[in-house]
Amino acid sequence: MTNPLLQDWTTPFQIAPFAEIEDEHFAPALDAALSAHLAEIEVIASRVDAPTFDNTIEALEGAGAALDKVLSVFFSLAGADSTPKRQELQRDFSPLLSAHSSAIYANTALFQRIETLWDARDTLDLNDEQARVLMLTRRSFIRAGSALSGSEADEMKEVKSRLAVLGTQFVQNLLKDESEWFMPLSDEALTELPDFVQDAARAAGEEKNAGGAVVTLSRSLIVPFLQFSPRRDLREKAYNAWAARGANGGETDNRGIAGETLKLRETRAKLLGYPDFAHYKLETEMAGTPDAVRDLLMQVWQPAKQHAQKDAAILEEMLHADGIKGLLEPWDWRYYSEQRRKAEHDLDEAELKPYLQLDRMIEASFSCATRLFGLEFAPLDLPLYHNDCRAWEVMRDGTHVAVFIGDYFARGSKRSGAWCSAMRGQAKKPAKQTPIVINVCNFAKPSSGKPALLSYDDARTLFHEFGHALHQMLSDVDYESVSGTCVARDFVELPSQLYEHWLEVPEVLAEFATHAQTGEPMPQALLDKVLGAATYDMGFSTVEYVASALVDLAFHEGNAPDDPMQKQAEVLAKIGMPRAIGMRHATPQFAHVFAGDGYSSGYYSYMWSEVMDADAFEAFEEAGDPFDSATAKRLADTVLSSGGSKDATELYLAFRGRMPGVEALLKGRGLAA
């Protein structure tokens, strides 16, 4: 059997030949790629000549190309277009990949070559990027346990293998809970909703073959349902199902997985000599320590909580005015907040949404990138992994820069949330390669023939993920290991959150926020309302986020809790969590933290980056133009093109000249005193 995953790809831009790839190709391709990579590693490790940067570090950078090809395709499909077979393969692959990683880090001859280079680093005449890559390579080996031996090395290998299995299981359980639940809507309950919510509910019913409109647990549908449905009983049912994801008992329950994961992370950290996992994880981030993270979060928590409590009192009065006795509940907040927004700001999302067409918002994100960084976007006709996907060639001054793929619509086979990934990162050495970048979102898909409409939050998400994509596309470094988003976790959100600001530039909305039926631009009065309400309900959104970040930090600081759900309750009680607001991600559905180590002890990163993005956009405001060319060039040269080739603090200082305080963030969120 010819396996396209193991062939040279002669497709345009060497993009994966998705139309030729079948699920049965993955397992044999992975086996072959793993063997090839280990053989490449052994060649590097067993060289008899003295180690040099080129024959050891740069050789490692070039090793594993076949494996990268296989995994880039597989994990793109596993996240965005899952099937039972792909889920089975993912469960099989997790321990294999962990064992493969452990074998490389346990290669004592290879580690010794790296140590030899490290000890002689001052005599190697390395440029700044090479010195950085050497440091990061050695650090990754040390933190993976390469310096351990005997029983400790064996235990580390077992811990990492089990963590890989648990992370995969957590995600698949969550996807199963999200994809299987739906709530049928009667004709009466449906007609009480705005047209755009009705349309999304009908489209969801078609996907589920439910014989009518339904509410699913896709954020792009359940949130507007909670905003607009006057049926309190249905809101409660939908909200409780949403909150119960991963905690329904049975095979898909994630609570036990969370507990075991935290215990294993504690073991991993202590094997490496750290007091707990938080200290281990944060050592390589900008924050550095758990105390620094907590200090930031609590500076934001108090004003956010005060705003939320004032808002809750007003919303509860509205609840009582409707003749409903008792307390404001979590399934009430969005409904009454939407009514209040309409009353106080004369802003109705049903009126706003026709002006936020998906296609026009994509155009807006591209246009801003053109004005800021000189990028140009041309549609590509390529066979991709799903019919919903679209592709563009990205160019600058007539030269190819990247391929960008957008996969925007929610479906049952796609995990929740939104993300950016690179099927291929930018590099110049050992061989030149340009990036292939994917943005994946979960926007409500319209009925056939109708335009896709976004909420304002959806539009912000689109800009956010495209900010990540720009970080990948504008990367200009030698080595892929430090390209694009290969940066500290609490720095990676800076480009994405910074790019959100351009959605709120009045001239951008004036040009691209055009009505889906009439084509008319958004009226100035409505535009003023949108921008005037930009910080509306910010107490709610800040509280739900910061609560999740504080729980994440508490999970990983000190001894791992015996019962994560009890620990979650204790943290929320200690900080005085408002009862009518839920965590943005409760423990059983907290994929950021439990799907892998990426955001574990690191969910605070969005807020850490927001301190910088608020300050960074002020640089454009100080220049008097959100598209100031000199400021944009400085941003591209210092931050976006540099990847992780320099320390994150050094990069930010090069752009802004100083590190920011929390004041710009509080001001931007409308939480300043």
Side-chain angles (χ1 to χ4, degrees):
M1 177 181 71
T2 301
N3 193 323
L5 290 165
L6 297 175
Q7 308 301 311
D8 290 333
W9 293 343
T10 58
T11 50
F13 313 106
Q14 295 182 305
I15 198 166
F18 290 104
E20 302 173 20
I21 297 170
E22 305 290 341
D23 284 347
E24 57 262 29
H25 292 139
F26 284 114
L30 182 67
D31 287 343
L34 290 174
S35 297
H37 190 208
L38 285 180
E40 292 169 331
I41 295 297
E42 189 55 36
V43 168
I44 298 169
S46 60
R47 293 182 67 120
V48 295
D49 51 348
T52 66
F53 184 90
D54 289 349
N55 70 25
T56 302
I57 304 301
E58 189 168 300
L60 282 174
E61 289 281 327
L67 182 59
D68 289 343
K69 286 172 62 175
V70 174
L71 294 181
S72 70
V73 176
F74 178 73
F75 283 114
S76 293
L77 294 177
D81 195 25
S82 182
T83 64
K85 178 61 177 177
R86 289 169 190 168
Q87 291 184 21
E88 178 187 348
L89 288 170
Q90 194 172 6
R91 291 192 294 271
D92 293 341
F93 290 174
S94 291
L96 290 177
L97 293 172
S98 177
H100 179 73
S101 174
S102 293
I104 293 172
Y105 286 121
N107 189 315
T108 54
L110 177 62
F111 181 53
Q112 187 54 55
R113 291 182 72 85
I114 295 169
E115 284 290 84
T116 299
L117 289 172
W118 179 251
D119 291 341
R121 61 191 180 277
D122 293 336
T123 68
L124 299 178
D125 194 27
L126 303 179
N127 63 36
D128 289 345
E129 183 176 333
Q130 290 173 325
R132 174 84 173 164
V133 171
L134 171 59
M135 184 278 288
L136 292 173
T137 302
R138 178 182 182 269
R139 190 174 74 180
S140 69
F141 272 74
I142 295 291
R143 288 170 63 81
S146 296
L148 299 177
S149 60
S151 61
E152 289 185 336
D154 293 339
E155 186 175 9
M156 177 65 81
K157 181 179 178 180
E158 292 172 4
V159 164
K160 290 195 290 186
S161 178
R162 181 60 179 160
L163 282 170
V165 170
L166 293 174
T168 298
Q169 189 177 349
F170 189 98
V171 172
Q172 293 189 354
N173 287 348
L174 187 56
L175 177 62
K176 196 167 193 294
D177 276 4
E178 289 173 345
S179 62
E180 290 188 349
W181 187 93
F182 61 87
M183 180 178 71
L185 294 175
S186 67
D187 290 343
E188 185 179 0
L190 182 67
T191 56
E192 292 172 331
L193 300 169
D195 289 346
F196 75 88
V197 186
Q198 292 186 39
D199 189 42
R202 291 191 187 99
E206 290 173 10
E207 190 207 358
K208 299 293 184 187
N209 295 315
V214 302
V215 175
T216 68
L217 297 182
S218 169
R219 179 176 285 270
S220 62
L221 179 50
I222 194 168
V223 168
F225 177 78
L226 292 170
Q227 282 179 286
F228 292 104
S229 176
R231 303 290 184 99
R232 194 179 193 225
D233 58 331
L234 297 183
R235 294 200 311 267
E236 180 179 3
K237 181 178 179 181
Y239 180 87
N240 285 336
W242 195 31
R245 292 168 296 154
N248 288 303
E251 294 182 354
T252 63
D253 199 295
N254 276 335
R255 289 171 288 190
I257 293 175
E260 186 179 355
T261 297
L262 295 174
K263 293 286 188 183
L264 289 170
R265 285 177 180 163
E266 179 187 8
T267 299
R268 179 180 175 185
K270 289 185 174 178
L271 282 169
L272 294 171
Y274 295 88
D276 52 42
F277 187 82
H279 282 85
Y280 161 77
K281 184 65 183 296
L282 294 171
E283 179 185 53
T284 60
E285 308 298 339
M286 292 184 76
T289 66
D291 286 343
V293 173
R294 186 180 298 100
D295 180 60
L296 168 68
L297 293 174
M298 293 309 296
Q299 284 186 67
V300 179
W301 173 257
Q302 292 302 335
K305 178 181 165 184
Q306 290 171 7
H307 275 71
Q309 288 171 328
K310 292 176 182 177
D311 292 340
I314 295 170
L315 300 183
E316 191 163 274
E317 288 180 4
M318 296 171 67
L319 175 80
H320 295 161
D322 275 352
I324 301 172
K325 297 179 180 179
L327 300 172
L328 183 76
E329 299 290 351
W331 49 87
D332 296 319
W333 190 293
R334 288 176 175 84
Y335 177 73
Y336 285 103
S337 180
E338 181 63 28
Q339 304 304 308
R340 181 187 173 198
R341 181 171 72 157
K342 187 174 181 180
E344 293 187 2
H345 294 275
D346 194 23
L347 183 60
D348 182 355
E349 186 162 319
E351 177 190 6
L352 172 63
K353 202 155 187 176
Y355 290 98
L356 299 176
Q357 300 176 69
L358 171 61
D359 286 351
R360 294 294 279 153
M361 291 299 102
I362 294 172
E363 287 182 52
S365 67
F366 288 177
S367 174
C368 291
T370 300
R371 294 180 65 181
L372 288 164
F373 309 116
L375 298 179
E376 301 165 347
F377 301 83
L380 290 172
D381 185 12
L382 296 174
L384 300 171
Y385 62 84
H386 194 279
N387 290 335
D388 286 344
C389 294
R390 303 153 70 176
W392 294 265
E393 182 183 7
V394 186
M395 295 171 287
R396 182 160 52 185
D397 298 328
T399 300
H400 175 78
V401 172
V403 171
F404 174 66
I405 299 170
D407 179 4
Y408 295 108
F409 295 125
R411 52 181 174 266
S413 62
K414 184 188 289 186
R415 64 179 171 90
S416 61
W419 63 93
C420 174
S421 59
M423 295 194 69
R424 184 176 67 214
Q426 178 270 330
K428 299 175 187 175
K429 297 179 180 180
K432 185 175 181 179
Q433 59 187 42
T434 55
I436 299 173
V437 188
I438 305 179
N439 275 179
V440 183
C441 299
N442 270 283
F443 304 142
K445 190 173 184 178
S447 300
S448 179
K450 293 190 176 183
L453 305 179
L454 305 182
S455 69
Y456 198 70
D457 281 346
D458 287 340
R460 186 180 290 112
T461 295
L462 186 147
F463 269 69
H464 178 102
E465 297 306 332
F466 194 68
H468 282 309
L470 287 172
H471 204 178
Q472 298 276 15
M473 289 187 252
L474 292 170
S475 179
D476 186 21
V477 299
D478 286 336
Y479 300 104
E480 187 175 4
S481 66
V482 292
S483 72
T485 57
C486 296
V487 299
R489 181 65 62 174
D490 49 11
F491 191 68
V492 76
E493 299 297 339
L494 169 61
S496 55
Q497 293 180 180
L498 175 59
Y499 204 65
E500 292 178 32
H501 288 272
W502 276 273
L503 174 62
E504 297 183 352
V505 172
E507 63 187 275
V508 174
L509 286 173
E511 180 177 358
F512 294 100
T514 56
H515 198 280
Q517 275 73 50
T518 68
E520 292 295 315
M522 184 184 294
Q524 185 63 46
L526 181 56
L527 177 59
D528 292 342
K529 293 175 192 175
V530 170
L531 298 177
T535 60
Y536 175 72
D537 214 16
M538 197 59 76
F540 170 88
S541 61
T542 307
V543 160
E544 64 167 5
Y545 164 78
V546 175
S548 296
L550 286 167
V551 168
D552 166 43
L553 183 64
F555 276 160
H556 296 99
E557 194 175 12
N559 295 329
D562 293 325
D563 182 349
M565 298 305 293
Q566 180 182 342
K567 183 68 172 181
Q568 172 184 294
E570 290 172 356
V571 173
L572 298 182
K574 183 177 180 179
I575 62 177
M577 181 74 169
R579 67 178 308 281
I581 303 178
M583 292 169 61
R584 183 167 299 178
H585 304 288
T587 298
Q589 63 238 205
F590 210 162
H592 278 81
V593 170
F594 292 106
D597 281 354
Y599 282 91
S600 55
S601 291
Y603 192 61
Y604 77 92
S605 300
Y606 293 93
M607 185 91 25
W608 191 274
S609 293
E610 189 176 342
V611 171
M612 290 182 287
D613 85 62
D615 178 69
F617 193 70
E618 283 190 352
F620 287 89
E621 294 175 330
E622 290 164 6
D625 181 1
F627 294 99
D628 179 69
S629 59
T631 308
K633 184 179 187 304
R634 192 167 74 252
L635 175 67
D637 290 347
T638 57
V639 175
L640 297 177
S641 67
S642 298
S645 62
K646 296 181 180 178
D647 177 76
T649 300
E650 182 181 348
L651 294 178
Y652 193 82
L653 288 172
F655 170 62
R656 200 67 170 108
R658 56 173 171 74
M659 293 304 293
V662 76
E663 295 78 16
L665 178 148
L666 293 175
K667 177 183 175 183
R669 285 184 169 244
L671 301 175

